[in-house]
Amino acid sequence: MVDDGRAEQVKARVREQFAAAGDAYVVSPTHRSGDDLERLVELAEATPETIALDIATGGGHTALALAPHVRHVTATDLVPEMLERARAFITSQGVINADFQVADAEDLPFADGSFDLVTCRIAPHHFADVQRAVHEVARVLRPGGLFLLIDSVAPEDPELDEFLNELERRRDPSHVRSYRRSEWRQFLEAAGLTVEVMETFTKRHDFTAWTARSRLGPEGRAALESWVLAAPPACRESLKIEIVDGRVVAHTDEKGLFKARKPRQ
């Protein structure tokens, strides 16, 4: 478990980082589309009777993708300003079967067994206590319900793991940790969930857009670029760092998709 004082510090950084960044995440190509989002919907086993919850909705793209396939979707986020932008975006698309609630992923304000489906996409690396969040997911799922998770995953090699996470922290101070696939399996199984699908895919990130989205200023961006250029070759190769004329132009990381089910009683 994570110390409550440290957890609150993490959440304060998340609120500060994302309160003013909502619009950037609504329009971000990385978040608004991709094969991973289509695959998530495909695996959701959604029906017209499904009651869904999207945790840490960010720009609202997952909730929007689910809405046509379910009876109702609740979109939550820790950051009120971010949630308000997601609400404006989703409702502007004509969605009428969604509601919105500020909520902490580690202390969900819902009764046990409230949802058939819970999703969380490209967010848990900001959570203070991932284990607690996964236990909360298991609590609010109905027996037989599904949890669909997508997030950045770190390499199993410790040096490459640390390089990825240090890169993310230098770019965004609200980053806590991208976990290894083996760690995610442990978290899910420890919460009593059965992992049915575990897939990996890659995403390319334009360096300029990636740093701008986290509101990294010119000095910070230059310092990050210098740090990347000075990194050991194996680390740069692990993220397929693209360098043109001595400048970093992009990198490619891995995302993990996990489908886990709460056992039927």
Side-chain angles (χ1 to χ4, degrees):
M1 300 296 287
V2 176
D3 174 78
D4 287 344
R6 177 180 173 276
E8 286 308 311
Q9 291 176 354
V10 169
K11 292 169 190 177
R13 285 197 298 270
V14 169
R15 292 186 183 100
E16 179 181 0
Q17 180 69 18
F18 289 98
D23 291 338
Y25 282 82
V26 167
V27 301
S28 163
T30 299
H31 294 78
R32 72 186 180 197
S33 62
D35 294 343
D36 63 304
L37 187 55
E38 294 177 10
R39 181 62 172 151
L40 182 148
V41 174
E42 181 181 306
L43 291 172
E45 300 180 14
T47 75
E49 299 305 313
T50 296
I51 304 298
L53 168 67
D54 185 40
I55 295 172
T57 198
H61 306 96
T62 303
L64 176 63
L66 288 173
H69 307 282
V70 301
R71 179 179 178 184
H72 189 84
V73 58
T74 297
T76 69
D77 204 278
L78 179 68
V79 184
E81 295 89 345
M82 178 68 85
L83 188 66
E84 200 51 46
R85 287 168 175 80
R87 181 205 299 270
F89 170 60
I90 291 171
T91 55
S92 74
Q93 306 303 305
V95 172
I96 59 174
N97 63 331
D99 72 303
F100 304 84
Q101 188 163 343
V102 175
D104 184 341
E106 297 154 32
D107 188 18
L108 295 172
F110 306 110
D112 295 1
S114 296
F115 300 95
D116 304 296
L117 172 66
V118 177
T119 59
C120 188
R121 177 175 178 258
I122 318 181
H125 56 274
H126 295 290
F127 293 174
D129 191 337
V130 163
Q131 286 186 307
R132 182 170 174 175
V134 174
H135 276 82
E136 278 292 273
V137 168
R139 180 184 66 79
V140 302
L141 274 174
R142 294 170 181 161
L146 290 177
F147 178 36
L148 288 170
L149 160 75
I150 296 175
D151 202 20
S152 304
V153 289
E156 296 293 328
D157 179 275
E159 181 183 13
L160 304 182
D161 173 333
E162 178 53 32
F163 176 70
L164 168 67
N165 279 293
E166 182 62 20
L167 174 70
E168 293 283 3
R169 285 189 290 267
R170 287 171 180 256
R171 175 247 183 181
D172 178 355
S174 70
H175 177 86
V176 175
R177 174 163 170 74
S178 293
Y179 295 90
R180 304 173 189 179
R181 286 180 291 276
S182 58
E183 291 176 303
W184 270 116
R185 179 179 284 278
Q186 292 171 2
F187 295 149
L188 294 164
E189 291 178 348
L193 301 175
T194 301
V195 179
E196 297 183 349
V197 175
M198 188 166 64
E199 300 176 353
T200 302
F201 53 93
T202 59
K203 280 206 173 183
R204 182 181 181 274
H205 305 274
D206 176 85
F207 187 75
T208 299
W210 184 67
T211 52
R213 192 162 58 245
S214 65
R215 298 184 296 131
L216 190 65
E219 290 185 5
R221 186 162 57 248
L224 179 59
E225 183 176 47
S226 295
W227 180 81
V228 170
L229 292 171
C235 293
R236 295 199 304 271
E237 290 167 9
S238 72
L239 288 179
K240 299 180 175 63
I241 304 293
E242 299 174 33
I243 301 171
V244 177
D245 296 330
R247 305 299 302 271
V248 176
V249 297
H251 76 278
T252 299
D253 64 3
E254 287 193 338
K255 309 296 181 187
L257 185 155
F258 304 84
K259 176 180 179 178
R261 191 181 303 274
K262 184 173 182 176
R264 300 182 188 275
Q265 297 176 352

